[in-house]
Amino acid sequence: MKRLVLVRHGESVWNKENRFTGWTDVPLSEQGIQEAKKAGQTLKKEGFQFRLAYTSYLTRAIKTLWLMLEEMDLMWIEERKSWRLNEKHYGNLQGLNKAETAKKFGEEKVLMWRRSFDVPPEPLADDDERNPRFDPRYADLSPDELPKTESLKEVIERMLPYWESEIKPSLEKQGDLLVAAHGNSLRALVMHLKGMSKEEILKFNIPTGIPYVFEFDDEMNFVKDYFLGDPEEVKKLMEKVANQAKAK
């Protein structure tokens, strides 16, 4: 048996403020720090051992990974980072409050920007200081690789090649892997692994800081998936994510 553990980063300060974050690099909130530590404690209690972990280029995911590994006494293991695990780029929405934006433009419009499969938000301008081309961590990427906005479809298109070329082969070789990333980059992977339809994935929400386990047999056939947590609590947290863009 091979196990892939997906963890959406702990609550960030912009999660707490209900803002669209995307590629904006913001830290974990105090609650997010505690969520990450608890995730590490849960994984240790369940007997998980990792020799390799993956994360994005964004601080909130990296810090979540570090805190989990610290709780597991595994800070020595190899980490691999990729921009392909970054959150969906929310374009001009980045930094805006979701509920206030819904009040201004309507819940239906904001729901489309958040959850449409192939309709991205309005893109950033070339000279916008939020454009990733000004960020040194992306200096080695070509202009056509750097998004100014993204839909889930485009996240899938950048994420799946990394799954096929890097994460999947490592899982086959290592046995158990840990991935700390983001709501939409993980949803892209979940859609692929479970063969979900566009309609199904658009309704699927991943709460922060809860380990999400995928089990595979030795031939890498998907067997089952489950969250490590109280089912009722996980359900409430998933509903909380779904309701973030309701007008107040």
Side-chain angles (χ1 to χ4, degrees):
M1 180 179 68
K2 302 175 187 303
R3 296 179 297 182
L4 175 69
V5 180
L6 308 178
V7 182
R8 182 184 175 192
H9 61 80
E11 181 193 69
S12 73
V13 293
W14 276 16
N15 288 145
K16 184 176 181 179
E17 296 171 6
N18 202 22
R19 296 182 183 277
F20 290 100
T21 310
W23 282 35
T24 308
D25 201 27
V26 298
L28 294 176
S29 67
E30 188 56 44
Q31 179 179 320
I33 291 171
Q34 296 308 314
E35 288 175 351
K37 290 182 177 180
K38 183 179 178 181
Q41 292 163 6
T42 298
L43 290 168
K44 184 176 183 178
K45 181 180 177 182
E46 294 293 326
F48 282 84
Q49 288 289 325
F50 306 104
R51 297 188 68 86
L52 176 63
Y54 290 88
T55 189
S56 72
Y57 276 3
L58 298 169
T59 299
R60 57 193 186 273
I62 297 169
K63 188 66 178 287
T64 295
L65 176 62
W66 288 353
L67 289 168
M68 288 191 294
L69 294 179
E70 184 174 28
E71 292 296 324
M72 299 182 73
D73 300 318
L74 291 176
M75 292 197 74
W76 54 272
I77 72 169
E78 181 182 358
E79 301 168 26
R80 296 179 188 172
K81 300 181 180 72
S82 175
W83 67 275
R84 294 182 183 275
L85 287 170
N86 276 18
E87 177 59 293
K88 167 184 167 180
H89 197 298
Y90 277 99
N92 257 335
L93 292 178
Q94 294 187 162
L96 300 182
N97 179 278
K98 295 174 185 176
E100 291 173 3
T101 305
K103 190 173 181 180
K104 182 177 180 179
F105 294 101
E107 290 183 10
E108 189 174 333
K109 186 79 169 177
V110 175
L111 181 63
M112 182 188 72
W113 286 331
R114 287 187 74 216
R115 289 292 185 257
S116 169
F117 184 75
D118 55 9
V119 179
E122 182 182 344
L124 294 175
D126 285 340
D127 60 352
D128 193 306
E129 63 181 8
R130 297 171 293 173
N131 193 310
R133 73 190 184 95
F134 297 120
D135 192 321
R137 78 192 79 191
Y138 307 116
D140 293 336
L141 301 184
S142 62
D144 62 325
E145 288 178 311
L146 288 175
K148 299 170 191 172
T149 185
E150 288 180 305
S151 64
L152 181 60
K153 179 176 180 288
E154 289 160 324
V155 177
I156 291 169
E157 288 171 353
R158 66 161 153 94
M159 173 62 200
L160 289 191
Y162 192 66
W163 160 255
E164 294 293 345
S165 66
E166 175 65 42
I167 302 177
K168 184 180 178 182
S170 294
L171 182 59
E172 290 180 278
K173 193 180 301 181
Q174 299 281 349
D176 285 353
L177 282 186
L178 176 60
V179 178
H182 306 265
N184 283 292
S185 55
L186 294 180
R187 286 169 70 236
L189 184 53
V190 170
M191 181 182 182
H192 174 69
L193 296 177
K194 297 190 69 173
M196 297 171 77
S197 68
K198 296 176 185 178
E199 293 73 26
E200 289 173 324
I201 195 60
L202 295 180
K203 296 176 183 177
F204 185 75
N205 295 283
I206 301 176
T208 57
I210 306 291
Y212 184 19
V213 183
F214 279 74
E215 293 187 2
F216 302 85
D217 64 22
D218 290 339
E219 282 71 49
M220 284 299 294
N221 297 304
F222 169 66
V223 177
K224 63 179 179 179
D225 63 312
Y226 50 92
F227 285 96
L228 291 177
D230 176 72
E232 284 302 312
E233 182 63 22
V234 171
K235 183 181 178 182
K236 288 178 184 177
L237 292 171
M238 294 173 85
E239 289 172 353
K240 183 180 177 182
V241 175
N243 293 329
Q244 285 173 344
K246 290 189 180 294
K248 302 288 175 72

